Amino acid sequence: MLQITGIHMHYYHVCHRKLWLFAKGITMEHGSDLVYEGRWIGETSYPDRSEKYTEIEIAGSKIDFYDPKRKIIHEVKKSDKMEEAHEWQVRYYIWLLKQQGIVGVEAILEYPKLRQRKQVILSPDDEQKILDDIHHIHQIMQQDSCPPRIERKYCLNCSYFDLCYVED
Ligand code: SF4
């Protein structure tokens, strides 16, 4: 069974083609833009944070800022344009922790550049959706052909832009 991480869950909610390319090991960037973005913004916006919070790795997913006392995941993002994908990424982290018996966890999405924060919890309906999403993510990752382009404005900011639009 292919391992799914928070990045797979995020990409699934952004673009199935992006998920497929990433899952096939095709990268157009150094490492993951998501991991880089979260760490870099987190470290520059909250320089003392690494002393207060714990970095945990669970089932291949790395959570940079976890407060074990208050059971809060802090996920730092640059903009709220992909807010729904951000929410499902952190809900997936909460779900992963629950699978390990750690219950009562919530997440806070932080957008320091916008001076905004958003609380995210995991409802029973969300849990069912995550199970359905995992099933669908596995299907996409295992398919032989690349899913179609989404043809959205987001493509301009995507690291796969040159690959997807090379023939245009
Ligand atoms: S450029 Fe657009 S279609 Fe291609 S992977 Fe990125 S988001 Fe998907």
Side-chain angles (χ1 to χ4, degrees):
M1 184 73 79
L2 294 164
Q3 191 169 57
I4 291 176
T5 68
I7 294 170
H8 292 96
M9 185 59 76
H10 180 101
Y11 286 178
Y12 172 71
H13 285 277
V14 172
C15 169
H16 293 179
R17 183 179 175 95
K18 183 165 178 144
L19 166 67
W20 187 89
L21 289 165
F22 178 71
K24 296 293 176 193
I26 302 164
T27 53
M28 304 283 285
E29 57 219 336
H30 297 294
S32 159
D33 50 354
L34 279 180
V35 170
Y36 177 77
E37 178 188 294
R39 290 233 181 91
W40 188 81
I41 299 170
E43 281 160 14
T44 52
S45 304
Y46 309 103
D48 60 341
R49 179 156 281 191
S50 51
E51 290 161 25
K52 291 186 193 164
Y53 298 91
T54 307
E55 179 183 289
I56 53 173
E57 191 159 346
I58 178 167
S61 289
K62 199 166 256 183
I63 302 170
D64 292 333
F65 305 111
Y66 179 60
D67 179 346
K69 277 192 193 149
R70 297 169 68 204
K71 293 189 176 178
I72 297 178
I73 294 164
H74 292 263
E75 184 73 19
V76 185
K77 300 292 187 191
K78 190 163 62 180
S79 102
D80 60 356
K81 284 199 182 112
M82 291 285 132
E83 190 165 276
E84 196 184 329
H86 297 159
E87 287 176 15
W88 284 108
Q89 182 186 353
V90 292
R91 280 196 193 102
Y92 181 65
Y93 292 154
I94 298 171
W95 181 84
L96 281 177
L97 287 166
K98 193 171 178 189
Q99 303 314 297
Q100 301 300 317
I102 304 168
V103 294
V105 177
E106 64 180 64
I108 296 181
L109 286 172
E110 301 185 2
Y111 302 97
K113 286 188 170 180
L114 305 174
R115 297 178 189 272
Q116 285 177 13
R117 287 157 68 96
K118 179 165 190 189
Q119 184 193 36
V120 181
I121 56 163
L122 183 74
S123 72
D125 284 350
D126 295 336
E127 288 188 55
Q128 185 53 54
K129 176 160 168 48
I130 282 176
L131 290 174
D132 294 342
D133 287 353
I134 289 171
H135 179 67
H136 196 198
I137 288 169
H138 275 130
Q139 284 181 331
I140 293 170
M141 287 163 74
Q142 285 167 342
Q143 73 186 44
D144 292 331
S145 57
C146 188
R149 294 187 313 212
I150 57 171
E151 311 273 352
R152 300 228 181 98
K153 212 174 152 191
Y154 171 79
C155 294
L156 290 167
N157 296 319
C158 176
S159 56
Y160 293 112
F161 179 81
D162 288 345
L163 187 71
C164 290
Y165 291 87
V166 72
E167 76 268 31
D168 288 356

